[in-house]
Amino acid sequence: MKILAIESSCDETAAAVIQDGTKIITNVIASSTLMHEKYGGIVPEVAAREQLRYILPVITESLLPYGPDINDAIKNNIDAVAITVGPGLIGSLLIGVETAKTISFVSGVPIIPVNHVLAHMYANFLDSEPKSSSRVISRDNQIKFPAISLVVSGGHTELFLMESEKKLTWLGGTLDDAAGEAFDKTARLLGFGSRGGLAIQETAAKNKNKKSVTLPRPMIHDDSLNFSFSGLKTAIMREVNKLKANNQFERQTIAQLCHEVQEAITDVLVFKTLAAAHLYHAKSILLSGGVASNLKLREKMSESALKNKLKFFVPEVKFCTDNAAYIGAYAYFRGKQTSWEKINALPDLSVEDTAII
Ligand code: KG4
Ligand code: ZN
């Protein structure tokens, strides 16, 4: 089964053709991230306007193996169109949703609505490139169920129990900021603009000194499977102000702070995921979402899984941040085909009730 998948929930415009949920035939992404740099964050109207420009060229490129005519390519080769309907920015979602509906109407192929957050974890089902070192840490690459799946992105930090490829139960999530948000807000506080978690990771790697600052590990020892990262931002702000007041806000102290922020966030994420794995007698751990590209998180989660005799799966870095390949994977394994009249953009789509979409 070949699915044309479309993703436009934030500032990326992406399209991919995925065969049988695992094989990536094409994967095209256009991003307006750089355009938001001067504002220190995503400007929804700018993102949506750019997506309107990119959407058709991106879809056309994703279908190029089947010829330059979108309509012919779809009619002759594609079995369904998968589209992210939420959660996300309304203006951005609408661009993808209305395009997908039009494609479905004109070509007659069914449409599959996709929940962006749930879809992130299906990046673990995509075939990795033969030489890639990072997708599957244990080489026996069959996901064994039950699995615990942690999705960590810019807007979400969610834990799920996965009893099969289809059966998902939400276990807990953040009560305030997401882990990605904590990285992004710290990056802005430290003067890295909108470069977010990657800037923190790169600066943390330059830390040469011993630990000089200790940040809290919020909610690490409470009984729930929830998270809270907003207090971390306040603690970091306090440290930054202290350093500035003492004229010590310089390269090395910034690197120390980045190192400790990364340690604090990753400690909590790993601890809670392992707690969930014990509670539900999991056999595998799945990591996904933009923050899953963080090398320290990948390393710590992999080590903890190994120590606890759990299989560990994480997508290649390029499939952690937003793209349409995992939208196609989700649609194949868990999506429900419907007709275009039933599709709407759902910016507040729940991730807790996994039965909705
Ligand atoms: O999944 P994603 O691409 O978009 C959403 O659906 O939100 O995730 C974006 C998030 C941002 O918060 C970004 O700072 C974070 O992923 N991120 C990272 C790294 N690369 C991206 N966080 C930590 N370390 C990284 N290397
Ligand atoms: Zn995402």
Side-chain angles (χ1 to χ4, degrees):
M1 180 187 193
K2 286 199 196 89
I3 294 179
L4 167 66
I6 300 170
E7 153 65 38
S8 72
S9 64
C10 194
D11 65 336
E12 271 83 20
T13 313
V17 177
I18 304 298
Q19 187 168 354
D20 299 333
T22 57
K23 185 166 182 244
I24 301 164
I25 295 175
T26 57
N27 184 33
V28 184
I29 306 175
S31 173
S32 62
T33 307
L34 290 177
M35 294 189 69
H36 307 289
E37 187 74 28
K38 63 179 169 189
Y39 305 108
I42 291 164
V43 184
E45 286 78 8
V46 174
R49 229 172 284 151
E50 287 304 294
Q51 283 164 322
L52 198 53
R53 279 180 25 172
Y54 292 141
I55 190 94
L56 286 180
V58 164
I59 293 173
T60 306
E61 192 179 330
S62 76
L63 291 166
L64 271 186
Y66 310 112
D69 184 284
I70 295 192
N71 204 23
D72 283 350
I74 293 172
K75 275 192 180 149
N76 299 330
N77 300 281
I78 299 297
D79 300 295
V81 181
I83 176 67
T84 298
V85 293
L89 303 169
I90 181 67
S92 296
L93 287 168
L94 278 171
I95 310 284
V97 167
E98 293 307 314
T99 307
K101 285 169 77 165
T102 309
I103 288 174
S104 174
F105 170 70
V106 173
S107 64
V109 300
I111 194 162
I112 303 176
V114 173
N115 180 323
H116 176 91
V117 177
L118 305 188
H120 260 297
M121 54 184 114
Y122 288 78
N124 283 299
F125 289 70
L126 294 167
D127 283 343
S128 53
E129 284 164 15
K131 287 214 174 70
S132 153
S133 60
S134 55
R135 180 197 167 231
V136 179
I137 304 300
S138 48
R139 289 313 327 164
D140 162 21
N141 65 2
Q142 278 295 315
I143 294 169
K144 293 266 191 312
F145 299 105
I148 293 296
S149 173
L150 174 69
V151 185
V152 258
S153 68
H156 289 271
T157 306
E158 317 285 348
L159 270 172
F160 297 91
L161 170 65
M162 203 178 212
E163 289 172 274
S164 71
E165 283 146 356
K166 266 193 165 67
K167 190 157 186 237
L168 292 175
T169 310
W170 180 81
L171 301 176
T174 183
L175 303 176
D176 40 56
D177 289 357
E181 227 170 325
F183 273 116
D184 294 342
K185 286 179 175 169
T186 308
R188 248 171 273 147
L189 266 173
L190 296 176
F192 299 130
S194 60
R195 288 190 55 242
L198 183 59
I200 302 285
Q201 175 185 299
E202 287 169 356
T203 314
K206 293 180 190 146
N207 178 37
K208 301 262 181 323
N209 283 7
K210 276 200 224 125
K211 192 162 148 172
S212 66
V213 49
T214 304
L215 293 169
R217 269 65 175 159
M219 291 180 73
I220 196 162
H221 291 305
D222 83 334
D223 289 338
S224 78
L225 293 174
N226 291 323
F227 303 85
S228 165
F229 291 107
S230 67
L232 207 48
K233 178 191 62 196
T234 317
I236 295 159
M237 196 144 43
R238 212 175 300 127
E239 289 301 328
V240 169
N241 289 341
K242 224 181 339 179
L243 289 172
K244 283 186 175 164
N246 295 331
N247 278 333
Q248 289 174 330
F249 192 64
E250 56 202 29
R251 203 176 292 177
Q252 181 50 37
T253 51
I254 292 173
Q256 279 170 1
L257 252 183
C258 288
H259 182 264
E260 177 60 5
V261 170
Q262 186 172 257
E263 289 299 321
I265 295 174
T266 52
D267 277 352
V268 176
L269 294 175
V270 172
F271 193 91
K272 290 268 172 170
T273 306
L274 266 293
H278 287 167
L279 204 57
Y280 291 94
H281 308 288
K283 295 184 177 139
S284 312
I285 286 177
L286 272 63
L287 182 61
S288 61
V291 180
S293 41
N294 183 272
L295 297 180
K296 183 55 86 174
L297 177 60
R298 297 166 84 91
E299 183 188 308
K300 280 188 183 175
M301 197 71 90
S302 162
E303 279 170 7
S304 296
L306 199 70
K307 223 185 277 170
N308 288 277
K309 301 195 166 50
L310 295 162
K311 288 161 73 88
F312 175 56
F313 298 84
V314 63
E316 282 178 58
V317 167
K318 68 178 175 195
F319 294 124
C320 288
T321 45
D322 290 350
N323 64 80
Y326 63 74
I327 302 298
Y330 176 91
Y332 177 81
F333 286 107
R334 203 167 182 269
K336 295 182 195 93
Q337 296 191 2
T338 185
S339 61
W340 64 270
E341 297 100 317
K342 303 219 171 89
I343 300 284
N344 285 308
L346 304 168
D348 300 321
L349 181 61
S350 163
V351 299
E352 297 168 26
D353 185 352
T354 56
I356 301 177
I357 288 170

